[in-house]
Amino acid sequence: MKARFLYAVLAVALALSVSACGSKEKAEETPAAPAATASAPVDPAPAGSITGTVKLDGPAPKAQRIRMDAEPTCAKTHTTPVMSEEYVVGDKGGLGNVVVYVKDGLGNRTFDTPNEPVVLDQNGCIYVPHVIAVQVNLAVEILNSDPTTHNVHPVPSNNKEWNKSQPPKAEKIVETFAREEIAILVKCNVHPWMKSYIAVLKHPYFKVTGKDGAFEIKNLPPGDYTMVAWHGVLGPSADQKVTIGAKESKAIEFTFKP
């Protein structure tokens, strides 16, 4: 009796195992969903633009000197003190290194990835530029122009993390980021003062401000948009709603408090 019961249990277990294997094989045979194709190109005839300025309301914190004494090779590349780029402010309060972008309003539109890569250099043992913005899947080429080894280490929350050593005069590192993320901190594990940011967006409607804080986002289809400005220390601004008519240009201003 016990033997019959044991055989029955084993038979049921074998049947379940075969069924599970069959399901797994079917799942593995199921083709992946096709990649989304880009929407029709934006018609430039009625397209508009958004211009403006990002400003700092009040005096910027005093820039901190970057000490490279622990790495003489880095220190020798500079003849004057190197200051932090967290706050880059122009004469009229314009705030640099800010990513201004369309947060909402493009609907389900998808966009081709540009062919031209974006370059992030390590020059004088700092990242140049301090902030870059790219579309998803766009190639980011990372160079080492220094006579010392660096260690490039992006620390994302929504993309793949990686960590690569790059000796002097080594081949460029080429990487892409598959998911939208604003923004990814990039550090160097060898030189702790080195820091940069990479903003990744699904569309081409963004701009990184220079020292004057100015920006212009062109070729926007007529519509209602939500705009945001993001700073590495101060974070995102409040949303701003903008309506663009055919061939219309609208000006807006973002203000951050230090």
Side-chain angles (χ1 to χ4, degrees):
M1 192 69 176
K2 290 183 179 179
R4 289 182 181 178
F5 178 74
L6 180 59
Y7 289 145
V9 170
L10 289 173
V12 171
L14 181 61
L16 289 173
S17 175
V18 171
S19 174
C21 290
S23 299
K24 183 178 180 181
E25 289 174 1
K26 288 180 180 179
E28 290 176 348
E29 292 172 0
T30 303
T37 55
S39 305
V42 172
D43 183 358
S49 63
I50 298 175
T51 64
T53 308
V54 181
K55 292 186 175 181
L56 190 68
D57 182 15
K62 186 178 179 180
Q64 299 296 311
R65 182 176 177 179
I66 297 175
R67 298 286 183 180
M68 301 183 182
D69 303 344
E71 175 60 272
T73 303
C74 292
K76 288 178 182 178
T77 63
H78 299 277
T79 57
T80 58
V82 182
M83 310 306 288
S84 168
E85 293 186 279
E86 294 295 355
Y87 286 92
V88 175
V89 183
D91 294 337
K92 297 181 180 180
L95 185 60
N97 287 333
V98 177
V99 183
V100 181
Y101 64 97
V102 172
K103 177 181 177 181
D104 191 35
L106 295 167
N108 295 323
R109 293 189 69 97
T110 54
F111 300 87
D112 284 324
T113 301
N115 295 321
E116 189 69 24
V118 172
V119 176
L120 180 63
D121 194 7
Q122 296 160 104
N123 195 333
C125 296
I126 58 175
Y127 284 113
V128 182
H130 186 64
V131 178
I132 62 173
V134 300
Q135 277 185 243
V136 293
N137 298 317
L138 178 65
V140 177
E141 295 184 351
I142 302 171
L143 311 180
N144 183 3
S145 298
D146 288 327
T148 188
T149 296
H150 290 299
N151 187 269
V152 188
H153 186 186
V155 189
S157 58
N158 198 33
N159 279 276
K160 178 185 69 175
E161 182 175 356
W162 50 269
N163 185 357
K164 294 185 178 181
S165 179
Q166 192 174 34
K169 299 181 181 180
E171 287 294 319
K172 60 190 175 186
I173 296 172
V174 181
E175 286 285 347
T176 61
F177 299 90
R179 298 179 180 86
E180 191 170 62
E181 186 168 352
I182 303 165
I184 300 170
L185 170 66
V186 183
K187 61 182 182 177
C188 173
N189 290 354
V190 179
H191 307 109
W193 64 82
M194 291 181 64
K195 183 165 63 175
S196 181
Y197 297 97
I198 301 176
V200 185
L201 296 109
K202 296 178 181 178
H203 56 73
Y205 299 110
F206 54 81
K207 188 74 173 180
V208 179
T209 63
K211 189 174 182 179
D212 61 359
F215 64 88
E216 182 178 15
I217 297 175
K218 302 179 180 179
N219 202 36
L220 274 166
D224 299 321
Y225 296 99
T226 302
M227 304 295 298
V228 174
W230 178 91
H231 184 264
V233 175
L234 302 172
S237 68
D239 293 355
Q240 285 207 43
K241 304 289 186 180
V242 185
T243 298
I244 301 295
K247 300 182 180 179
E248 187 176 23
S249 180
K250 286 281 184 72
I252 61 176
E253 185 176 289
F254 291 97
T255 303
F256 285 90
K257 290 187 179 295

